[in-house]
Amino acid sequence: MAEHDTNYTLEIKDLEVRFETVDGVVKAVNGIDLAIEKGKTLGLVGETGAGKTTTALSILRLVPDPPGKITGGSITLEGKDLFSYSEKEMEGIRGSQVSMIFQDPMTSLNPVMTVGDQIAEVIQLHEKIDQKEALKKAMAMLEMVGIPGNRGSEYPHQFSGGMKQRVIIAMALVCNPHLLIADEPTTALDVTIQAQVLDLMQKLREKYGTSMLMITHDLGIVAEVCDNVSIMYAGRIVEHGTLEDIFNSTSHPYTEGLFGSLPNIDNRSEQLKPIPGLMPDPTDLPAGCAFHPRCKYCKDICKSRVPAVTKLSDTHMVACLAYEEGTGVTLGGDGHE
Amino acid sequence: MENKKAKKRSMAMEVCQRLARNKMAMLGLAILVVLVLCAVFADVIADYETKVVAQNIANRLKGPSAEHWFGTDEFGRDIFARIIHGSRVSLVVGLISVSVSLILGGILGAFAGFYGGRIDNVIMRVMDIFLAVPSILLAMTIVAALGSSLVNVMLAIGVSGIPTYARIVRAAVMSVKDQEFVEASRAIGATNVTTIFREIIPNCLAPIIVQATLSVAGAILSTASLSFIGLGVQPPDPEWGAMLSGGRNFLRDAVHLTLFPGLAIVITILALNLLGDGLRDALDPRLKQ
Amino acid sequence: MHKYVIKRLIMLIPVVIGVSFLVFFIMSLAPGDTARTILGEDAPIEAIEALNEELGLNDPVLIRYGRYMVGLAHGDLGTSYKSGRSVFTEVMSRFPDTLKLAFWGMVFAVVLSIPIGIISATKQYSLIDSVSMVFALLGVATPNFWLGLMLIIGFSLHLRWFPSGGSEGWKALVLPVITLGTGCMANITRTTRSSMLEVIRQDYIRTAKAKGVGYRSVIYKHALKNALIPVVTVIGLQFGSLLGGAVLTEAVFSWPGVGTYLVNSIKAKDTPAVLGCVIIFSICFSIVNLCVDILYAYIDPRIKSKYK
């Protein structure tokens, strides 16, 4: 991977993030590697509490500092080490080179500022133009996300949820960032609006060539918009590959479980197969492979040995003892769908 | 029904535990316990006749000493003893006036919330009128009309506190009413008023407890204020505000006349506020982390 | 927007009517014979009867109230039993002094409390936060008249920096303003702090940071305006306590305002004067609350659009 440095918008290596709380140390992110190629979309998939949002916030260095701390690893944006920047330099990067949009559009906009002002603010922070110009650009951006420009003088409460999310997308993309991080951007929206918003994001991304980190738990969205997928569990990446790799050559038992828990429209009477158990308590992670208490292929060795990353192909990686030599762990007959 | 009772009991336990963890609230509680003990055992601590009421001009305006811990006032009376007995007055006024506010306000609020419509409108307009007069002025007016006495002070402060409780109970009733209506439409027969009351009380218990604690503090402050300007408790009753009023003339040479009763008020109100804030935090469902 | 203001101003009228009825009714509950109080215990019965008749005190409550209301509509608050002069004149001649005290008391409170509240919230758990919270707790628990007495002892009698009474010059204003404003300041500080803490946790603050907005801007541009909304409401409510507190403060500092007049009128059983004072105070309070509501609509666009 090292030779393709300049092809990568984002490279995360061995990231570790801890939270020190009254109830113990929360190991939110435990050594993950992520890479996003220029212009491509990486889907980061996992259940709530897997550490996805924390990873995203780490890129922006917005992990709330007491109690959170980035304790290891490196994040490189367009070849530059983000951890070497001062806070002031980070402020310059946020919103202009990396933008993030969050899950709940209803509460993500400042209720006492007009929508136009909020977009213009981003422009003025990162470009040297006066307020009038910034407002003009803001209105143009609104048009681009499908909102009449003159509505820029209205306040957030005058917009619906879907339109608010469009405003937020406008705010995120107006300065042409290299990377857009989208943290469950459609989860809080109606299904019909979801499709519109995703569509809009795709259009804009293609236009500007923006790379994207799409955080989601919805495999349907992954199939729609992602080029590559990383599956995250308990702060670790358990499988990574292209869309085909993950959907057609599912390798990790957890990924298998995720697909298995989807209802089968062709066989409605078939029982739902949820993954048994719950995500582990991050202050008390299981020893060995973090997934072992819920894994149907679990063997004794899984309880004590942390799986290493096994390369299945140039693009496909998995972290499971079943793929390591000499562990004796097998995935039965149906390890590959 | 059993399940509900068990759930309520465990919720109460949880609230108590959360409160116990709050050191400031516990401090307030401790001070209040001491205060209540002083009030209850006032006669044991300092005999009323000889120390509180009897005048001893030869002994007047003496500073703090071994015999008189807080000194003596302008009539030679022991200030410490008067403060102890004053705690009785303060506590009684606090509890009774808040009870008056709570009961009268609660009834009005329950009616307003339950019947809604015009009755609600009328009651709330009347409450707004009460609220347009600053509460201490309202209390002053009532005392002015009925005369200065402890009973009238309790009544006055009680009446001026009615709108607060009317609002709390009204809000609680209205939130329950929506739920009960659904059940009622399925049940046979008319909505049982007693059942409604059984549902209302848990709903408004939390804000009422918090408000009552803070109201007692306010009542004590108001009593002291009224007595200070001569409209409250009449001599020779030992009330902290009245003691301050008496001490005014001796600011230069006998500070202790004003210092100690004032401190008593501050400490009492502080304790009640600490407890009230603690209760508010302990009862706040959002604070569950 | 203007419609809203005018509508609210008109709504003041029923409030004033209501307040005057309430207070009138309360005063009418007073036992005892007013004429006898005025003329003295030893006055002859005929004189007492005559005065009762003249003052219309033998008529039923509602008729007396009706007469009072008619007078009120003309700005006539009746005649003082004690001085014989128009209550309106008596009250209004003293009103500027009380207003001065209340105004500066509120200014003192607001100017200090909001910055302290903001700093406390942004530097939560720091020394400044702990100290200011302790002071706020004490400020709320301290009766303002006792604070006044303590200030007099310290700054008037011992240090001789400020006079202990009267209303001449700015020096006489200092101690009464501090006395009156401290309780308010404590309340507003606590409210500002908790409001800021609440706002800082909101999602839109996170959005602002993700946009690259600097720390100062986040606090003063994004957070503050939102946080001030409940604070403004509290300021309005505190004004009522301020007016009540003014009565006590005037008593401590012998300040020649409406408060002192009110207390003296109560002691003299001068009913029209008492009524006049309370009504004027209530009107004042209502106007301040109206201003607060209007300000509220300006700060919060969600409210503003409701009244467009």
Side-chain angles (χ1 to χ4, degrees), chain C:
Chain C
M1 195 59 197
H2 295 287
K3 261 203 238 168
Y4 175 61
V5 175
I6 294 179
K7 201 174 117 181
R8 287 297 303 269
L9 275 171
I10 294 180
M11 268 165 63
L12 274 181
I13 297 178
V15 171
V16 173
I17 295 178
V19 168
S20 63
F21 181 71
L22 175 66
V23 185
F24 191 90
F25 177 70
I26 293 176
M27 290 306 284
S28 70
L29 296 171
D33 196 320
T34 312
R36 187 189 297 270
T37 315
I38 297 175
L39 295 175
E41 286 295 317
D42 307 316
I45 304 225
E46 306 89 46
I48 292 178
E49 300 271 297
L51 189 56
N52 267 329
E53 200 53 48
E54 186 191 321
L55 291 175
L57 292 171
N58 288 330
D59 297 324
V61 181
L62 286 175
I63 302 228
R64 282 192 280 143
Y65 177 64
R67 245 184 279 148
Y68 188 74
M69 279 315 295
V70 171
L72 195 60
H74 292 110
D76 176 17
L77 288 167
T79 323
S80 160
Y81 289 167
K82 189 168 154 206
S83 70
R85 282 184 298 176
S86 148
V87 167
F88 187 77
T89 329
E90 298 270 35
V91 172
M92 281 310 167
S93 65
R94 295 170 169 80
F95 194 65
D97 276 317
T98 299
L99 203 59
K100 199 159 66 164
L101 197 58
F103 175 74
W104 286 111
M106 192 45 103
V107 166
F108 167 74
V110 170
V111 161
L112 284 180
S113 62
I114 292 186
I116 294 179
I118 296 175
I119 296 178
S120 264
T122 54
K123 295 198 181 351
Q124 206 184 2
Y125 306 128
S126 69
L127 188 64
I128 295 183
D129 183 23
S130 308
V131 167
S132 60
M133 280 303 105
V134 167
F135 270 108
L137 269 173
L138 287 174
V140 170
T142 307
N144 65 355
F145 51 93
W146 185 68
L147 179 64
L149 291 174
M150 293 291 115
L151 286 175
I152 288 179
I153 294 176
F155 292 97
S156 233
L157 297 178
H158 286 287
L159 287 173
R160 295 184 170 279
W161 284 355
F162 303 105
S164 61
S167 62
E168 291 304 310
W170 68 269
K171 276 198 179 169
L173 204 51
V174 174
L175 292 183
V177 163
I178 297 179
T179 303
L180 188 56
T182 301
C184 272
M185 175 166 70
N187 261 308
I188 299 174
T189 307
R190 295 175 87 199
T191 308
T192 306
R193 176 183 184 268
S194 64
S195 184
M196 278 296 280
L197 284 177
E198 180 82 30
V199 165
I200 289 178
R201 282 194 308 201
Q202 295 302 311
D203 284 344
Y204 54 84
I205 298 294
R206 185 178 55 175
T207 306
K209 287 190 197 164
K211 279 178 7 182
V213 178
Y215 180 72
R216 282 208 102 83
S217 271
V218 166
I219 299 294
Y220 291 103
K221 187 173 165 199
H222 286 259
L224 189 57
K225 208 174 173 199
N226 281 283
L228 281 182
I229 295 172
V231 174
V232 162
T233 314
V234 168
I235 290 179
L237 291 173
Q238 281 294 305
F239 194 75
S241 314
L242 205 68
L243 288 176
V247 175
L248 296 160
T249 309
E250 290 182 16
V252 170
F253 290 93
S254 311
W255 188 269
V258 181
T260 316
Y261 181 63
L262 174 61
V263 175
N264 293 337
S265 302
I266 291 179
K267 292 193 172 142
K269 298 217 175 288
D270 190 349
T271 309
V274 174
L275 284 177
C277 288
V278 177
I279 290 177
I280 298 281
F281 269 134
S282 303
I283 294 179
C284 210
F285 186 34
S286 300
I287 292 180
V288 168
N289 273 322
L290 174 61
C291 293
V292 163
D293 278 348
I294 295 176
L295 190 61
Y296 204 89
Y298 262 111
I299 302 180
D300 189 346
R302 293 165 284 195
I303 307 286
K304 199 178 194 178
S305 57
K306 265 207 263 175
Y307 295 112
K308 269 240 165 90

Side-chain angles (χ1 to χ4, degrees), chain A residues 57 60 62 91 94-95 98 100 102 104 107-113 118 121-122 125-126 155 157 171, chain C residues 202-204 206-215 217 221-223 225-226 229 299-302 304-305:
Chain A
L57 289 174
L60 286 171
L62 281 180
E91 281 170 18
R94 292 178 198 135
V98 184
M100 184 160 172
F102 298 92
D104 193 351
T107 52
S108 292
L109 287 170
N110 191 331
V112 302
M113 278 172 78
Q118 294 192 50
E121 185 182 27
V122 171
L125 278 170
H126 302 291
Y155 291 91
H157 69 272
M171 241 172 24
Chain C
Q202 295 302 311
D203 284 344
Y204 54 84
R206 185 178 55 175
T207 306
K209 287 190 197 164
K211 279 178 7 182
V213 178
Y215 180 72
S217 271
K221 187 173 165 199
H222 286 259
K225 208 174 173 199
N226 281 283
I229 295 172
I299 302 180
D300 189 346
R302 293 165 284 195
K304 199 178 194 178
S305 57

Side-chain angles (χ1 to χ4, degrees), chain B residues 96-98 100-102 104 153-163:
Chain B
I96 294 188
S97 56
V98 170
V100 168
S101 302
L102 182 50
L104 292 179
V153 166
M154 293 193 282
L155 191 64
I157 297 177
V159 167
S160 61
I162 287 178

Side-chain angles (χ1 to χ4, degrees), chain B residues 106-271:
Chain B
I107 293 177
L108 283 173
F111 270 100
F114 183 62
Y115 288 108
R118 235 191 223 155
I119 296 187
D120 179 25
N121 238 328
V122 167
I123 294 183
M124 281 300 116
R125 293 292 134 253
V126 172
M127 292 296 104
D128 283 343
I129 291 175
F130 268 75
L131 286 170
V133 183
S135 63
I136 193 141
L137 293 181
L138 189 61
M140 278 172 72
T141 314
I142 297 177
V143 173
L146 301 177
S148 304
S149 77
L150 191 60
V151 174
N152 289 340
V153 166
M154 293 193 282
L155 191 64
I157 297 177
V159 167
S160 61
I162 287 178
T164 312
Y165 292 95
R167 282 196 175 166
I168 293 177
V169 174
R170 173 179 179 265
V173 170
M174 284 172 86
S175 76
V176 171
K177 199 174 73 158
D178 289 335
Q179 301 167 12
E180 287 295 330
F181 255 30
V182 178
E183 276 185 52
S185 66
R186 295 212 204 118
I188 308 165
T191 328
N192 192 337
V193 180
T194 357
T195 321
I196 299 262
F197 271 93
R198 240 180 261 162
E199 295 296 319
I200 291 176
I201 292 176
N203 235 313
C204 48
L205 211 51
I208 282 187
I209 291 177
V210 174
Q211 185 60 52
T213 312
L214 300 172
S215 291
V216 172
I220 295 178
L221 193 55
S222 298
T223 313
S225 306
L226 288 172
S227 305
F228 181 74
I229 44 182
L231 287 180
V233 175
Q234 293 303 299
D237 282 343
E239 199 276 330
W240 296 336
M243 290 167 75
L244 284 176
S245 173
R248 268 184 77 186
N249 305 318
F250 305 99
L251 287 181
R252 195 178 296 272
D253 308 306
V255 178
H256 59 281
L257 262 73
T258 36
L259 184 65
F260 294 112
L263 282 178
I265 302 176
V266 173
I267 292 175
T268 306
I269 297 184
L270 188 63

Side-chain angles (χ1 to χ4, degrees), chain A residues 109-262:
Chain A
L109 287 170
N110 191 331
V112 302
M113 278 172 78
T114 63
V115 149
D117 279 339
Q118 294 192 50
I119 301 178
E121 185 182 27
V122 171
I123 303 174
Q124 280 198 287
L125 278 170
H126 302 291
E127 291 172 32
K128 285 202 179 330
I129 59 176
D130 68 28
Q131 192 168 20
K132 252 182 154 188
E133 279 301 307
L135 263 172
K136 268 209 213 141
K137 277 184 114 178
M139 303 228 216
M141 196 66 198
L142 277 176
E143 295 276 354
M144 217 175 305
V145 296
I147 296 177
N150 59 8
R151 290 198 72 180
S153 56
E154 291 182 26
Y155 291 91
H157 69 272
Q158 294 168 280
F159 293 84
S160 69
M163 295 181 90
K164 284 208 244 276
Q165 195 65 306
R166 288 166 187 265
V167 170
I168 290 172
I169 292 171
M171 241 172 24
L173 292 176
V174 75
C175 290
N176 252 318
H178 300 298
L179 174 67
L180 172 67
I181 307 173
D183 190 354
E184 313 244 23
T186 54
T187 306
L189 299 173
D190 293 335
V191 177
T192 46
I193 310 291
Q194 272 189 27
Q196 286 177 20
V197 169
L198 282 177
D199 216 28
L200 174 66
M201 285 168 71
Q202 285 294 80
K203 247 182 41 199
L204 292 173
R205 276 196 46 246
E206 273 161 27
K207 180 165 177 177
Y208 293 120
T210 321
S211 313
M212 182 157 79
L213 176 64
M214 170 63 90
I215 299 176
T216 180
H217 60 270
D218 185 337
L219 291 166
I221 292 184
V222 171
E224 280 251 358
V225 304
C226 298
D227 302 303
N228 297 304
V229 187
S230 287
I231 313 282
M232 196 163 177
Y233 186 81
R236 292 203 179 91
I237 304 287
V238 298
E239 189 171 353
H240 169 88
T242 65
L243 202 56
E244 286 77 30
D245 290 335
I246 299 291
F247 275 69
N248 297 335
S249 317
T250 316
S251 305
H252 195 278
Y254 176 59
T255 320
E256 180 193 318
L258 283 179
F259 279 104
S261 45
L262 291 175

Side-chain angles (χ1 to χ4, degrees), chain A residues 11-88:
Chain A
E11 278 190 273
I12 300 182
K13 290 203 171 73
D14 229 358
L15 183 66
E16 265 183 34
V17 183
R18 303 243 139 96
F19 285 85
E20 277 155 37
T21 68
V22 258
D23 299 313
V25 175
V26 176
K27 297 189 188 149
V29 180
N30 292 315
I32 62 166
D33 292 339
L34 280 184
I36 307 181
E37 292 167 59
K38 283 207 175 118
K40 298 271 168 94
T41 300
L42 172 68
L44 187 56
V45 177
E47 296 163 274
T48 316
K52 315 186 300 277
T53 306
T54 309
T55 306
L57 289 174
S58 306
I59 301 173
L60 286 171
R61 273 172 53 189
L62 281 180
V63 176
D65 197 300
K69 268 192 169 40
I70 300 178
T71 51
S74 72
I75 300 183
T76 313
L77 180 74
E78 296 272 317
K80 288 168 283 192
D81 175 15
L82 283 183
F83 291 169
S84 69
Y85 285 1
S86 69
E87 180 60 26
K88 202 87 205 206

